[in-house]
Amino acid sequence: MPSYLLRTVVLVAALVLLGACRSIVPPNFRPPENPSGGVMAARKALDDATSCCNSYADLSYQDMLPWQPQRFELNKDSPVAMLDGDRSYFLAFRLPQGAQLPYTIAMKSELSGRWLSSSYLFAPTVVVLDDAFQPLVSEDIGMCEYIGWTSETTGAFGKMEVKDPRARYLVVYSSAKQQKGQTYWEQSPTTFSAEAPVKMNSAGSFKIQHGPDGVLYVGMENSTYKRAIQNAVCSKAQQGDGVINTLRNVVTTDLLGDDPAKKKKAD
């Protein structure tokens, strides 16, 4: 092949590869997602959905509460109920009658969204009912963040305790208050700027907004969830007084040599 033809082929191939590379942008250098796009679309889907039920007695309780947390996905294809004036996707269970009281029900929400800064989670409201479908306990569950070594032990964890022997049924949904709330998240929302990819916002901690749908694990608490809940972070740690002040309060000997009583005696 003549040298000028070889140079032409090499140049064309280089231009093709350059064009392909320009179309492949690493995730961290892509423009950030619309922070409210995902949750806003989810809220609109909930608003547009037809409600199936308006009372606890209208719900189906065919499913038994799992003996350990199992994964459930609440989305636009899930049933919608209007409960206590709140519109929400829901889960309904029969409670085990052979379980020794009190027992603990554990929950875990997974983040929805590709970017941490635009993610949201489903924050549950739990209602325990008697055999006449009358509420015995109703509680907005506070969720706490735990980052484990696996996906099973990572997410926003919460729990509630069943103490009443009259408890027969469990309903899990998200109240209007929960859907407007936030959960503290210790990990910083690192995001890259579309104009300056190397500039990022990584300072401080923030809160994950709540949304109307998402992945929720529900079931009897097992050892994995118990450890995660015990070590979960629920709020920002209190500001300390510094290492020196802490040493002064903890150490009984005058290691720093600034005890006023000892200084006076030395003088």
Side-chain angles (χ1 to χ4, degrees):
M1 178 182 293
S3 59
Y4 72 91
L5 286 178
L6 180 60
R7 287 195 299 271
T8 301
V9 171
V10 171
L11 178 60
V12 170
L15 290 174
V16 171
L17 290 175
L18 180 61
C21 290
R22 285 177 61 85
S23 64
I24 302 174
V25 182
N28 285 348
F29 288 88
R30 297 172 189 163
E33 292 178 340
N34 182 349
S36 60
V39 71
M40 293 298 290
R43 287 170 180 161
K44 186 178 186 307
L46 176 61
D47 291 339
D48 293 342
T50 301
S51 175
C52 72
C53 319
N54 296 311
S55 72
Y56 297 113
D58 294 336
L59 308 183
S60 172
Y61 299 93
Q62 293 183 353
D63 296 330
M64 177 70 73
L65 179 73
W67 285 101
Q68 64 180 5
Q70 290 187 9
R71 184 181 188 274
F72 298 90
E73 185 170 357
L74 298 162
N75 54 37
K76 60 183 180 61
D77 298 321
S78 302
V80 176
M82 183 71 74
L83 301 173
D84 295 329
D86 297 330
R87 187 180 182 84
S88 176
Y89 303 112
F90 68 90
L91 300 169
F93 303 99
R94 288 181 290 115
L95 292 175
Q97 295 307 294
Q100 182 177 358
L101 295 172
Y103 58 85
T104 302
I105 298 174
M107 288 147 275
K108 184 191 80 167
S109 291
E110 291 186 344
L111 296 184
S112 302
R114 186 183 67 182
W115 295 89
L116 187 60
S117 58
S118 60
S119 292
Y120 64 92
L121 57 83
F122 181 89
T125 299
V126 173
V127 181
V128 176
L129 309 169
D130 62 15
D131 54 6
F133 307 107
Q134 297 302 306
L136 299 171
V137 178
S138 180
E139 181 181 352
D140 286 337
I141 303 299
M143 307 300 282
C144 300
E145 171 227 7
Y146 183 76
I147 305 298
W149 291 104
T150 65
S151 59
E152 183 184 2
T153 56
T154 297
F157 289 81
K159 67 176 182 178
M160 69 94 58
E161 198 171 60
V162 177
K163 303 176 181 178
D164 197 319
R166 297 172 296 169
R168 294 293 181 272
Y169 305 105
L170 178 77
V171 177
V172 182
Y173 71 104
S174 188
S175 68
K177 181 180 178 181
Q178 281 283 65
Q179 292 184 38
K180 294 176 183 176
Q182 296 176 320
T183 290
Y184 178 80
W185 208 260
E186 193 174 43
Q187 186 175 352
S188 176
T190 302
T191 54
F192 287 77
S193 167
E195 293 77 18
V198 295
K199 181 181 178 182
M200 58 184 178
N201 173 24
S202 60
S205 302
F206 79 123
K207 294 183 178 180
I208 294 290
Q209 61 185 331
H210 296 170
D213 62 11
V215 172
L216 182 71
Y217 288 74
V218 184
M220 300 283 280
E221 183 183 62
N222 59 13
S223 58
T224 299
Y225 274 65
K226 186 174 183 178
R227 285 193 300 269
I229 292 171
Q230 287 175 341
N231 295 291
V233 178
C234 302
S235 62
K236 187 175 182 178
Q238 293 184 354
Q239 188 70 30
D241 295 328
V243 176
I244 299 300
N245 286 329
T246 301
L247 285 174
R248 288 194 182 105
N249 294 329
V250 174
V251 179
T252 57
T253 58
D254 186 28
L255 295 179
L256 302 178
D258 59 354
D259 189 329
K262 290 188 177 182
K263 282 186 176 181
K264 186 176 180 179
K265 185 177 180 180
D267 293 340

